[in-house]
Amino acid sequence: MTKRLDLRVDFAFKSLFGTHGNESILAAFLNAALRFPHEKKIQTVQLLDPHFNKENQEDKRSILDVHAQLEDGSRVNIEIQLNNKHDMEKRTLYYWSKMYSSQMKEGMDYGELCKTITINIVNFRYLSHINNYHSTFQLYEREQKLLLTDMLEIHFMELPKLLIKWRKKEVDPREDQLVRWLLLLEASEDEEITQVLEEIAMQEDQVLKKAMDEWERVSQDPEVLLAYEARRKALLDEKSALKRAANLGKIEGEKIGEMKGEKKGEEKALRKVALGMIEKGIDDATIAELTGLMEEEIQKLRRQ
């Protein structure tokens, strides 16, 4: 069997979920992710221009997001992140605000703005104080837990947490459709997951079968493979750069700690000298000049 693309790479994810002709695959994923009741299930989605946000260099990354509009006008943006750059909450709010405000056209009323949903799929543990692999955030009053508006909805889906639950048999892709779609992102590295998903696809889930067939097809497309390898290399380089920065930060922190320790030792020695000078009756100004200590500190030593 052909080695399939790693769907955790944003380019590969978009090739499957964010390409015209694959709207039914995206709709199935969103139905699972957003947990709509049966009567409100998404039937169709419209893929939107990914360049909704072009104000600065950082915004160019949004081209690899999946940006779509639902039947009720709601906007959804899906971003997949391999590396933890420790700025997810700020990035998320920034892109959410851009997506929300981009709806506004000249002459529009604020009441015409539609719900805006951001879905962050991350390949690292992000919300360390939460055990759930899927977390949803909205705007609530702090004490009464009253929802201010449903216009904002932010999801975090943490793949490492899901894998732990999968290995412990705490989740079942046969019973939970979101579990099967998220496990699909891990399937290129896990034969057991691939086998289970192929069984589900053949037995009961035609959209999943379509997704797996399309996944295999794009994995053999020379043009797709060329762009995929370039993007994967860029992400690996980014990961290495982040690791180097973290190591440098650790080294600098250790140096600062050592310097603080040395400084603390010097200050202790100076205070000991100052106490000896106090015992000999030397005045504060002279002690301050000779030791470099502040006169207020010398006065405190006199009161000891």
Side-chain angles (χ1 to χ4, degrees), residues 6-196:
D6 184 348
L7 293 174
R8 296 169 299 184
V9 174
D10 48 17
F11 177 83
F13 181 88
K14 186 166 185 175
S15 296
L16 182 60
F17 290 89
T19 302
H20 291 290
N22 291 346
E23 286 87 350
S24 61
I25 297 173
L26 178 59
F29 170 77
L30 290 175
N31 278 323
L34 302 178
R35 310 286 193 189
F36 287 141
H38 182 73
E39 65 274 11
K40 292 187 178 181
K41 290 288 185 185
I42 301 166
Q43 300 301 319
T44 60
V45 296
Q46 177 188 355
L47 290 169
L48 299 178
D49 179 6
H51 296 86
F52 68 88
N53 193 0
K54 297 186 279 188
E55 291 187 3
N56 58 45
Q57 185 72 19
E58 180 71 12
D59 295 339
K60 291 183 179 179
R61 296 182 181 181
S62 66
I63 193 172
L64 291 173
D65 295 355
V66 175
H67 187 38
Q69 181 172 308
L70 307 185
E71 293 152 317
D72 64 356
S74 298
R75 304 290 182 94
V76 181
N77 194 68
I78 307 172
E79 179 180 1
I80 188 159
Q81 283 283 340
L82 275 179
N83 303 317
N84 186 1
K85 288 169 279 192
H86 306 285
D87 58 1
M88 279 296 295
E89 69 281 358
K90 292 181 180 179
R91 281 170 52 82
T92 294
L93 288 172
Y94 175 74
Y95 285 125
W96 179 91
S97 68
K98 290 294 182 182
M99 185 167 56
Y100 184 67
S101 62
S102 70
Q103 300 176 58
M104 181 63 77
K105 308 300 179 187
E106 187 175 351
M108 273 183 63
D109 186 86
Y110 287 112
E112 298 178 64
L113 292 171
C114 294
K115 183 175 184 176
T116 300
I117 302 166
T118 295
I119 298 175
N120 297 298
I121 303 173
V122 298
N123 196 41
F124 48 85
R125 291 180 66 93
Y126 182 66
L127 302 168
S128 58
H129 54 293
I130 297 176
N131 290 325
N132 293 337
Y133 65 89
H134 180 198
S135 306
T136 307
F137 295 87
Q138 292 182 281
L139 289 174
Y140 284 90
E141 198 285 324
R142 185 178 298 171
E143 294 184 4
Q144 299 297 320
K145 309 302 180 187
L146 177 69
L147 182 65
L148 176 65
T149 174
D150 68 350
M151 290 293 102
L152 179 148
E153 191 170 302
I154 295 174
H155 296 251
F156 285 94
M157 300 178 184
E158 300 171 80
L159 297 178
K161 290 181 181 178
L162 175 63
L163 277 180
I164 290 172
K165 289 182 178 294
W166 156 256
R167 292 182 184 121
K168 290 182 177 180
K169 302 188 184 302
E170 295 176 1
V171 293
D172 187 347
R174 293 180 177 84
E175 297 177 358
D176 190 320
Q177 291 189 2
L178 180 58
V179 169
R180 73 179 67 159
W181 285 110
L182 292 178
L183 283 178
L184 181 65
L185 307 186
E186 298 283 351
S188 65
E189 302 293 331
D190 193 309
E191 291 184 7
E192 183 184 358
I193 290 176
T194 301
Q195 183 178 350
V196 170

Side-chain angles (χ1 to χ4, degrees), residues 15 19 22 212-221 224:
S15 296
T19 302
N22 291 346
M212 297 191 79
D213 289 344
E214 177 66 9
W215 181 26
E216 186 160 359
R217 186 193 69 78
V218 298
S219 297
Q220 300 176 56
D221 186 317
V224 172

